[in-house]
Amino acid sequence: MIAEAMDVRLDSEFAPLRSVVVSQSEFRAPADAAILGHSMPVEPSAVEILEAVWGKDFREVYPEKQAAWEAERDELAAVLTRHGVEVLRPRLFNDAERAAAGETGYANFFVRDPWFTVGEHVIEGVLQFPHRRMEVLPSRQLLLDRVVPSAARYVSLPQPEASPLGHPGAGPFLEGGDVLVLGTEVFVGCSGMATNELGYHWLAKYLVPFGFTVSKVELPPHVLHLDCAISLIRDGLMIACPERLPAGLPAALRDWEHIEVSEDEAAAMATNGLSIDPGTYITDPEFERVGRELEARGITVEYIDFSVSRLFGGAFRCSTQPLLRAN
């Protein structure tokens, strides 16, 4: 059933958040590491945990961590609801989808990446890691219900060619964690592990005729996404990890004040917080130093323990996807 039409739009990374999708917590690891083609970008403390789940469902191996993981997302949803944000959730994978995944495994845990919103455009991307290729499916009905009746355009990238496991192929690959929006300025991270050159060029070709400027931001090969290096807090203020920006900040951001974080802090997801609005930001108590820096600049900081989510190489931005962020 198609829902009543609603606005679908994203003006910037810090425009007031009004409607957002919060991730589920599903993960079955690939049968072995060779399937991935790259090393999985997880927090260093998660390496031993990952070794125990190859070919298995995380829930079965670590039931207590699974419960804590689900509780983290529920708490995030509750905090957002308290701030007046409409919270939606993708469904879980169904039995047919789990069976189709086979030895590749599946993930339904970071809704930021399989689709994303830029202005009045909702774009289904293509994920490079094979166990994440189906991750858009649990959101599909939600997109049909909310995006199709709206004024927003709804498009998707071409599907990549079939290729042997461990070799993703040419793509194009484009992931929402690499896409930061600042009005008509769009920044696209490119490390080659997620978004690649073809994905960046596809997005530029699509958006430029609508008045957007699309700029590529080079990332080191070990950094999965741009939101693992930069977080835009409000106009003129950001969190950034210089070590993860080999060519420096994008030109449009170089005059901004930035709170610096180290490579170790960034690897633990210090830049992957979430702005609710220009004066309110969510982060993990692990990053209290960053929180104090924000508070000194007039930002209200909400702390949520996201230690299990961070094991998988993402945090608050990765766990959310706005449908409406409007001034």
Side-chain angles (χ1 to χ4, degrees), residues 66-303:
Q66 176 70 34
W69 192 19
E70 294 174 11
E72 289 174 3
R73 267 64 187 279
D74 289 345
E75 184 178 0
L76 174 59
V79 169
L80 291 168
T81 300
R82 173 162 53 81
H83 281 271
V85 181
E86 178 192 31
V87 174
L88 306 169
R89 306 295 293 271
R91 64 171 172 81
L92 299 174
F93 279 125
N94 60 39
D95 290 342
E97 290 162 346
R98 293 190 183 100
E103 66 177 7
T104 303
Y106 53 78
N108 179 20
F109 57 15
F110 288 133
V111 73
R112 176 65 57 168
D113 301 321
W115 60 276
F116 54 93
T117 311
V118 178
E120 291 187 312
H121 304 263
V122 173
I123 299 166
E124 287 192 20
V126 175
L127 303 179
Q128 189 165 157
F129 280 107
H131 66 288
R132 300 193 65 191
R133 292 278 177 92
M134 299 196 307
E135 196 162 358
V136 71
L137 298 180
S139 292
R140 183 67 61 68
Q141 190 60 50
L142 185 156
L143 296 175
L144 294 176
D145 289 346
R146 290 304 188 105
V147 181
V148 171
S150 76
R153 292 174 179 264
Y154 179 15
V155 299
S156 64
L157 266 72
Q159 289 300 299
E161 71 280 17
S163 59
L165 290 177
H167 301 278
F173 298 111
L174 180 63
E175 307 193 4
D178 274 318
V179 180
L180 299 185
V181 180
L182 181 64
T184 58
E185 293 269 0
V186 179
F187 309 104
V188 182
C190 193
S191 70
M193 193 193 303
T195 298
N196 68 356
E197 288 281 340
L198 275 176
Y200 157 68
H201 286 297
W202 185 95
L203 187 63
K205 182 176 179 62
Y206 174 70
L207 287 177
V208 166
F210 294 101
F212 290 89
T213 299
V214 182
S215 303
K216 184 173 72 171
V217 183
E218 297 287 354
L219 297 171
H222 72 283
V223 176
L224 181 62
H225 291 136
L226 185 56
D227 62 13
C228 300
I230 294 175
S231 181
L232 306 183
I233 308 299
R234 67 179 181 213
D235 192 30
L237 178 64
M238 64 191 295
I239 302 168
C241 178
E243 293 174 74
R244 293 187 161 205
L245 298 164
L249 290 165
L253 301 175
R254 286 176 188 164
D255 292 336
W256 283 35
E257 180 183 10
H258 58 280
I259 298 166
E260 288 193 9
V261 297
S262 67
E263 168 63 31
D264 287 346
E265 288 174 312
M269 297 292 115
T271 66
N272 205 261
L274 182 73
S275 288
I276 296 177
D277 55 49
T280 315
Y281 190 76
I282 300 174
T283 192
D284 192 294
E286 175 74 14
F287 311 117
E288 187 178 358
R289 179 192 72 79
V290 177
R292 289 196 301 270
E293 295 268 13
L294 292 170
E295 289 167 343
R297 292 160 175 81
I299 305 295
T300 298
V301 179
E302 292 267 13
Y303 290 103

Side-chain angles (χ1 to χ4, degrees), residues 22-27 57-60 62-78 89 92 108 304-306 308-309 312:
V22 172
S23 294
Q24 295 286 357
S25 303
E26 287 187 289
F27 175 55
D57 193 303
F58 186 80
R59 177 189 304 274
E60 297 170 357
Y62 294 108
E64 292 182 1
K65 282 185 171 63
Q66 176 70 34
W69 192 19
E70 294 174 11
E72 289 174 3
R73 267 64 187 279
D74 289 345
E75 184 178 0
L76 174 59
R89 306 295 293 271
L92 299 174
N108 179 20
I304 301 173
D305 183 341
F306 240 46
V308 181
S309 299
F312 295 93

